[in-house]
PDB file of all heavy atoms in Angstrom:
ATOM      1  N   PHE U 249       4.333  24.923  -0.523  1.00 72.00           N
ATOM      2  CA  PHE U 249       4.229  23.486  -0.616  1.00 72.00           C
ATOM      3  C   PHE U 249       5.608  22.809  -0.713  1.00 72.00           C
ATOM      4  O   PHE U 249       6.506  23.334  -1.395  1.00 72.00           O
ATOM      5  CB  PHE U 249       3.450  23.141  -1.871  1.00 72.00           C
ATOM      6  CG  PHE U 249       1.966  23.441  -1.752  1.00 72.00           C
ATOM      7  CD1 PHE U 249       1.475  24.693  -2.098  1.00 72.00           C
ATOM      8  CD2 PHE U 249       1.069  22.477  -1.271  1.00 72.00           C
ATOM      9  CE1 PHE U 249       0.164  24.992  -1.989  1.00 72.00           C
ATOM     10  CE2 PHE U 249      -0.246  22.799  -1.164  1.00 72.00           C
ATOM     11  CZ  PHE U 249      -0.725  24.034  -1.494  1.00 72.00           C
ATOM     12  N   SER U 260       2.635  -9.213   4.379  1.00 74.00           N
ATOM     13  CA  SER U 260       2.185 -10.487   3.830  1.00 74.00           C
ATOM     14  C   SER U 260       1.238 -11.176   4.807  1.00 74.00           C
ATOM     15  O   SER U 260       1.244 -10.871   6.034  1.00 74.00           O
ATOM     16  CB  SER U 260       3.383 -11.419   3.495  1.00 74.00           C
ATOM     17  OG  SER U 260       4.116 -11.705   4.702  1.00 74.00           O
ATOM     18  N   ARG U 262       0.594 -14.459   6.738  1.00 86.00           N
ATOM     19  CA  ARG U 262       1.304 -15.634   7.207  1.00 86.00           C
ATOM     20  C   ARG U 262       0.409 -16.615   7.949  1.00 86.00           C
ATOM     21  O   ARG U 262       0.871 -17.562   8.576  1.00 86.00           O
ATOM     22  CB  ARG U 262       2.451 -15.205   8.139  1.00 86.00           C
ATOM     23  CG  ARG U 262       3.541 -14.377   7.450  1.00 86.00           C
ATOM     24  CD  ARG U 262       4.711 -14.162   8.346  1.00 86.00           C
ATOM     25  NE  ARG U 262       5.762 -13.447   7.652  1.00 86.00           N
ATOM     26  CZ  ARG U 262       5.899 -12.134   7.693  1.00 86.00           C
ATOM     27  NH1 ARG U 262       5.020 -11.368   8.352  1.00 86.00           N
ATOM     28  NH2 ARG U 262       6.909 -11.525   7.038  1.00 86.00           N
ATOM     29  N   VAL U 270     -13.346 -31.882   8.945  1.00 97.00           N
ATOM     30  CA  VAL U 270     -12.549 -33.089   8.803  1.00 97.00           C
ATOM     31  C   VAL U 270     -12.886 -34.049   9.920  1.00 97.00           C
ATOM     32  O   VAL U 270     -12.726 -33.717  11.110  1.00 97.00           O
ATOM     33  CB  VAL U 270     -11.041 -32.740   8.840  1.00 97.00           C
ATOM     34  CG1 VAL U 270     -10.195 -34.013   8.746  1.00 97.00           C
ATOM     35  CG2 VAL U 270     -10.651 -31.801   7.710  1.00 97.00           C
ATOM     36  N   PRO U 271     -13.332 -35.274   9.621  1.00 97.00           N
ATOM     37  CA  PRO U 271     -13.716 -36.233  10.673  1.00 97.00           C
ATOM     38  C   PRO U 271     -12.526 -36.816  11.374  1.00 97.00           C
ATOM     39  O   PRO U 271     -11.390 -36.817  10.833  1.00 97.00           O
ATOM     40  CB  PRO U 271     -14.491 -37.282   9.886  1.00 97.00           C
ATOM     41  CG  PRO U 271     -13.962 -37.229   8.506  1.00 97.00           C
ATOM     42  CD  PRO U 271     -13.551 -35.817   8.272  1.00 97.00           C
ATOM     43  N   ASP U 272     -12.766 -37.328  12.581  1.00 97.00           N
ATOM     44  CA  ASP U 272     -11.702 -37.994  13.378  1.00 97.00           C
ATOM     45  C   ASP U 272     -11.396 -39.357  12.778  1.00 97.00           C
ATOM     46  O   ASP U 272     -12.187 -39.945  12.022  1.00 97.00           O
ATOM     47  CB  ASP U 272     -12.132 -38.150  14.811  1.00 97.00           C
ATOM     48  CG  ASP U 272     -12.304 -36.801  15.510  1.00 97.00           C
ATOM     49  OD1 ASP U 272     -11.603 -35.856  15.144  1.00 97.00           O
ATOM     50  OD2 ASP U 272     -13.143 -36.736  16.435  1.00 97.00           O
ATOM     51  N   THR U 275     -12.669 -46.566  13.196  1.00 96.00           N
ATOM     52  CA  THR U 275     -12.624 -47.974  12.784  1.00 96.00           C
ATOM     53  C   THR U 275     -13.986 -48.368  12.247  1.00 96.00           C
ATOM     54  O   THR U 275     -15.016 -48.109  12.884  1.00 96.00           O
ATOM     55  CB  THR U 275     -12.258 -48.877  13.965  1.00 96.00           C
ATOM     56  OG1 THR U 275     -10.951 -48.548  14.461  1.00 96.00           O
ATOM     57  CG2 THR U 275     -12.261 -50.363  13.552  1.00 96.00           C
ATOM     58  N   THR U 288     -14.996 -27.919   4.235  1.00 95.00           N
ATOM     59  CA  THR U 288     -14.859 -26.527   3.762  1.00 95.00           C
ATOM     60  C   THR U 288     -13.664 -25.880   4.450  1.00 95.00           C
ATOM     61  O   THR U 288     -12.997 -26.497   5.290  1.00 95.00           O
ATOM     62  CB  THR U 288     -16.117 -25.729   4.043  1.00 95.00           C
ATOM     63  OG1 THR U 288     -16.386 -25.694   5.436  1.00 95.00           O
ATOM     64  CG2 THR U 288     -17.315 -26.339   3.303  1.00 95.00           C
ATOM     65  N   ILE U 315      -6.329 -50.243   5.529  1.00 96.00           N
ATOM     66  CA  ILE U 315      -6.351 -48.839   5.940  1.00 96.00           C
ATOM     67  C   ILE U 315      -6.830 -47.963   4.744  1.00 96.00           C
ATOM     68  O   ILE U 315      -6.378 -48.163   3.609  1.00 96.00           O
ATOM     69  CB  ILE U 315      -4.946 -48.343   6.376  1.00 96.00           C
ATOM     70  CG1 ILE U 315      -4.489 -49.130   7.621  1.00 96.00           C
ATOM     71  CG2 ILE U 315      -4.927 -46.859   6.647  1.00 96.00           C
ATOM     72  CD1 ILE U 315      -5.321 -48.865   8.835  1.00 96.00           C
ATOM     73  N   SER U 321      -6.821 -30.730   1.670  1.00 98.00           N
ATOM     74  CA  SER U 321      -5.848 -29.659   1.720  1.00 98.00           C
ATOM     75  C   SER U 321      -6.405 -28.418   1.045  1.00 98.00           C
ATOM     76  O   SER U 321      -7.289 -28.499   0.190  1.00 98.00           O
ATOM     77  CB  SER U 321      -4.514 -30.082   1.031  1.00 98.00           C
ATOM     78  OG  SER U 321      -4.769 -30.423  -0.304  1.00 98.00           O
ATOM     79  N   THR U 330      -2.883 -25.646   4.375  1.00 97.00           N
ATOM     80  CA  THR U 330      -3.306 -26.502   5.492  1.00 97.00           C
ATOM     81  C   THR U 330      -3.765 -27.813   4.929  1.00 97.00           C
ATOM     82  O   THR U 330      -4.465 -27.879   3.898  1.00 97.00           O
ATOM     83  CB  THR U 330      -4.481 -25.832   6.266  1.00 97.00           C
ATOM     84  OG1 THR U 330      -4.031 -24.588   6.801  1.00 97.00           O
ATOM     85  CG2 THR U 330      -4.959 -26.711   7.385  1.00 97.00           C
ATOM     86  N   ASP U 340     -12.777 -56.752   9.718  1.00 95.00           N
ATOM     87  CA  ASP U 340     -13.778 -57.781   9.448  1.00 95.00           C
ATOM     88  C   ASP U 340     -13.753 -58.771  10.602  1.00 95.00           C
ATOM     89  O   ASP U 340     -12.786 -59.477  10.813  1.00 95.00           O
ATOM     90  CB  ASP U 340     -13.459 -58.504   8.117  1.00 95.00           C
ATOM     91  CG  ASP U 340     -14.407 -59.676   7.857  1.00 95.00           C
ATOM     92  OD1 ASP U 340     -15.438 -59.773   8.502  1.00 95.00           O
ATOM     93  OD2 ASP U 340     -14.043 -60.495   6.987  1.00 95.00           O
ATOM     94  N   VAL U 343     -16.704 -64.547  10.692  1.00 96.00           N
ATOM     95  CA  VAL U 343     -16.031 -65.736  10.071  1.00 96.00           C
ATOM     96  C   VAL U 343     -16.800 -66.086   8.802  1.00 96.00           C
ATOM     97  O   VAL U 343     -17.992 -65.832   8.659  1.00 96.00           O
ATOM     98  CB  VAL U 343     -16.014 -66.894  11.070  1.00 96.00           C
ATOM     99  CG1 VAL U 343     -15.190 -66.556  12.273  1.00 96.00           C
ATOM    100  CG2 VAL U 343     -17.429 -67.325  11.446  1.00 96.00           C
ATOM    101  N   ILE U 353     -22.052 -90.181   9.276  1.00 97.00           N
ATOM    102  CA  ILE U 353     -22.827 -91.341   8.875  1.00 97.00           C
ATOM    103  C   ILE U 353     -22.103 -92.609   9.277  1.00 97.00           C
ATOM    104  O   ILE U 353     -20.898 -92.586   9.556  1.00 97.00           O
ATOM    105  CB  ILE U 353     -23.066 -91.390   7.347  1.00 97.00           C
ATOM    106  CG1 ILE U 353     -21.753 -91.301   6.572  1.00 97.00           C
ATOM    107  CG2 ILE U 353     -24.027 -90.267   6.897  1.00 97.00           C
ATOM    108  CD1 ILE U 353     -21.865 -91.461   5.070  1.00 97.00           C
ATOM    109  N   PRO U 364     -17.742 -84.682  -1.239  1.00 97.00           N
ATOM    110  CA  PRO U 364     -18.643 -83.683  -1.868  1.00 97.00           C
ATOM    111  C   PRO U 364     -17.968 -82.362  -2.121  1.00 97.00           C
ATOM    112  O   PRO U 364     -16.903 -82.074  -1.558  1.00 97.00           O
ATOM    113  CB  PRO U 364     -19.768 -83.570  -0.856  1.00 97.00           C
ATOM    114  CG  PRO U 364     -19.097 -83.773   0.491  1.00 97.00           C
ATOM    115  CD  PRO U 364     -18.029 -84.845   0.199  1.00 97.00           C
ATOM    116  N   THR U 369     -18.895 -68.726   1.779  1.00 97.00           N
ATOM    117  CA  THR U 369     -19.169 -67.304   1.503  1.00 97.00           C
ATOM    118  C   THR U 369     -18.688 -66.462   2.680  1.00 97.00           C
ATOM    119  O   THR U 369     -18.515 -66.984   3.796  1.00 97.00           O
ATOM    120  CB  THR U 369     -20.655 -67.036   1.274  1.00 97.00           C
ATOM    121  OG1 THR U 369     -21.400 -67.404   2.480  1.00 97.00           O
ATOM    122  CG2 THR U 369     -21.196 -67.809   0.090  1.00 97.00           C
ATOM    123  N   GLU U 382      -8.256 -85.224   4.942  1.00 98.00           N
ATOM    124  CA  GLU U 382      -8.918 -86.428   5.350  1.00 98.00           C
ATOM    125  C   GLU U 382      -7.968 -87.317   6.178  1.00 98.00           C
ATOM    126  O   GLU U 382      -6.817 -87.517   5.782  1.00 98.00           O
ATOM    127  CB  GLU U 382      -9.447 -87.216   4.170  1.00 98.00           C
ATOM    128  CG  GLU U 382     -10.135 -88.550   4.468  1.00 98.00           C
ATOM    129  CD  GLU U 382     -10.693 -89.229   3.243  1.00 98.00           C
ATOM    130  OE1 GLU U 382     -11.768 -88.852   2.767  1.00 98.00           O
ATOM    131  OE2 GLU U 382     -10.013 -90.143   2.727  1.00 98.00           O
ATOM    132  N   ARG U 395     -13.280 -86.321   7.746  1.00 98.00           N
ATOM    133  CA  ARG U 395     -13.077 -85.369   6.629  1.00 98.00           C
ATOM    134  C   ARG U 395     -13.277 -83.968   7.189  1.00 98.00           C
ATOM    135  O   ARG U 395     -14.248 -83.666   7.874  1.00 98.00           O
ATOM    136  CB  ARG U 395     -14.087 -85.638   5.547  1.00 98.00           C
ATOM    137  CG  ARG U 395     -13.790 -86.945   4.790  1.00 98.00           C
ATOM    138  CD  ARG U 395     -14.849 -87.273   3.743  1.00 98.00           C
ATOM    139  NE  ARG U 395     -14.476 -88.420   2.913  1.00 98.00           N
ATOM    140  CZ  ARG U 395     -15.231 -88.971   1.990  1.00 98.00           C
ATOM    141  NH1 ARG U 395     -16.452 -88.495   1.773  1.00 98.00           N
ATOM    142  NH2 ARG U 395     -14.802 -89.984   1.277  1.00 98.00           N
ATOM    143  N   SER U 398     -11.968 -76.489   5.705  1.00 98.00           N
ATOM    144  CA  SER U 398     -11.651 -75.230   6.368  1.00 98.00           C
ATOM    145  C   SER U 398     -11.497 -74.096   5.364  1.00 98.00           C
ATOM    146  O   SER U 398     -11.139 -74.342   4.227  1.00 98.00           O
ATOM    147  CB  SER U 398     -10.386 -75.361   7.265  1.00 98.00           C
ATOM    148  OG  SER U 398      -9.271 -75.702   6.444  1.00 98.00           O
ATOM    149  N   CYS U 403      -8.875 -61.520   6.308  1.00 94.00           N
ATOM    150  CA  CYS U 403      -8.628 -60.905   7.629  1.00 94.00           C
ATOM    151  C   CYS U 403      -8.355 -61.905   8.711  1.00 94.00           C
ATOM    152  O   CYS U 403      -8.463 -61.673   9.911  1.00 94.00           O
ATOM    153  CB  CYS U 403      -9.796 -60.034   7.995  1.00 94.00           C
ATOM    154  SG  CYS U 403     -10.136 -58.694   6.832  1.00 94.00           S
ATOM    155  N   THR U 412     -17.639 -87.153  10.260  1.00 98.00           N
ATOM    156  CA  THR U 412     -17.067 -88.436  10.725  1.00 98.00           C
ATOM    157  C   THR U 412     -17.848 -89.533  10.042  1.00 98.00           C
ATOM    158  O   THR U 412     -19.056 -89.652  10.191  1.00 98.00           O
ATOM    159  CB  THR U 412     -17.130 -88.563  12.217  1.00 98.00           C
ATOM    160  OG1 THR U 412     -16.324 -87.527  12.842  1.00 98.00           O
ATOM    161  CG2 THR U 412     -16.580 -89.895  12.675  1.00 98.00           C
ATOM    162  N   VAL U 431      -9.005-142.011   3.286  1.00 95.00           N
ATOM    163  CA  VAL U 431      -7.609-142.467   3.480  1.00 95.00           C
ATOM    164  C   VAL U 431      -7.597-143.819   4.164  1.00 95.00           C
ATOM    165  O   VAL U 431      -8.638-144.269   4.736  1.00 95.00           O
ATOM    166  CB  VAL U 431      -6.836-141.456   4.340  1.00 95.00           C
ATOM    167  CG1 VAL U 431      -6.727-140.120   3.615  1.00 95.00           C
ATOM    168  CG2 VAL U 431      -7.463-141.280   5.703  1.00 95.00           C
ATOM    169  N   GLY U 455     -11.870-106.941   3.529  1.00 77.00           N
ATOM    170  CA  GLY U 455     -10.451-107.008   3.789  1.00 77.00           C
ATOM    171  C   GLY U 455      -9.862-108.316   3.323  1.00 77.00           C
ATOM    172  O   GLY U 455     -10.534-109.217   2.841  1.00 77.00           O
ATOM    173  N   PRO U 465      -8.758-133.437  14.226  1.00 95.00           N
ATOM    174  CA  PRO U 465      -7.964-134.097  15.281  1.00 95.00           C
ATOM    175  C   PRO U 465      -6.544-134.421  14.788  1.00 95.00           C
ATOM    176  O   PRO U 465      -6.278-134.443  13.572  1.00 95.00           O
ATOM    177  CB  PRO U 465      -8.777-135.360  15.570  1.00 95.00           C
ATOM    178  CG  PRO U 465      -9.452-135.672  14.239  1.00 95.00           C
ATOM    179  CD  PRO U 465      -9.770-134.323  13.656  1.00 95.00           C
ATOM    180  N   THR U 473     -15.085-138.870   9.946  1.00 97.00           N
ATOM    181  CA  THR U 473     -14.840-137.729  10.823  1.00 97.00           C
ATOM    182  C   THR U 473     -15.181-136.426  10.082  1.00 97.00           C
ATOM    183  O   THR U 473     -14.774-136.272   8.875  1.00 97.00           O
ATOM    184  CB  THR U 473     -13.358-137.675  11.270  1.00 97.00           C
ATOM    185  OG1 THR U 473     -13.092-138.870  11.953  1.00 97.00           O
ATOM    186  CG2 THR U 473     -13.132-136.492  12.185  1.00 97.00           C
ATOM    187  N   VAL U 475     -14.656-132.546   9.690  1.00 98.00           N
ATOM    188  CA  VAL U 475     -13.751-131.408  10.030  1.00 98.00           C
ATOM    189  C   VAL U 475     -14.466-130.112   9.655  1.00 98.00           C
ATOM    190  O   VAL U 475     -14.935-129.928   8.532  1.00 98.00           O
ATOM    191  CB  VAL U 475     -12.459-131.540   9.229  1.00 98.00           C
ATOM    192  CG1 VAL U 475     -11.500-130.357   9.511  1.00 98.00           C
ATOM    193  CG2 VAL U 475     -11.749-132.867   9.545  1.00 98.00           C
ATOM    194  N   THR U 492     -15.473-133.921   5.142  1.00 97.00           N
ATOM    195  CA  THR U 492     -15.500-135.234   5.761  1.00 97.00           C
ATOM    196  C   THR U 492     -14.260-136.032   5.401  1.00 97.00           C
ATOM    197  O   THR U 492     -13.773-135.983   4.295  1.00 97.00           O
ATOM    198  CB  THR U 492     -16.721-136.052   5.335  1.00 97.00           C
ATOM    199  OG1 THR U 492     -16.727-136.198   3.923  1.00 97.00           O
ATOM    200  CG2 THR U 492     -18.021-135.355   5.749  1.00 97.00           C
TER     201      THR U 492
END
Side-chain angles (χ1 to χ4, degrees):
F249 288 89
S260 63
R262 296 188 177 92
V270 176
D272 294 330
T275 298
T288 60
I315 297 294
S321 58
T330 299
D340 174 15
V343 298
I353 55 174
T369 61
E382 179 178 280
R395 292 175 170 176
S398 60
C403 300
T412 298
V431 296
T473 301
V475 178
T492 60

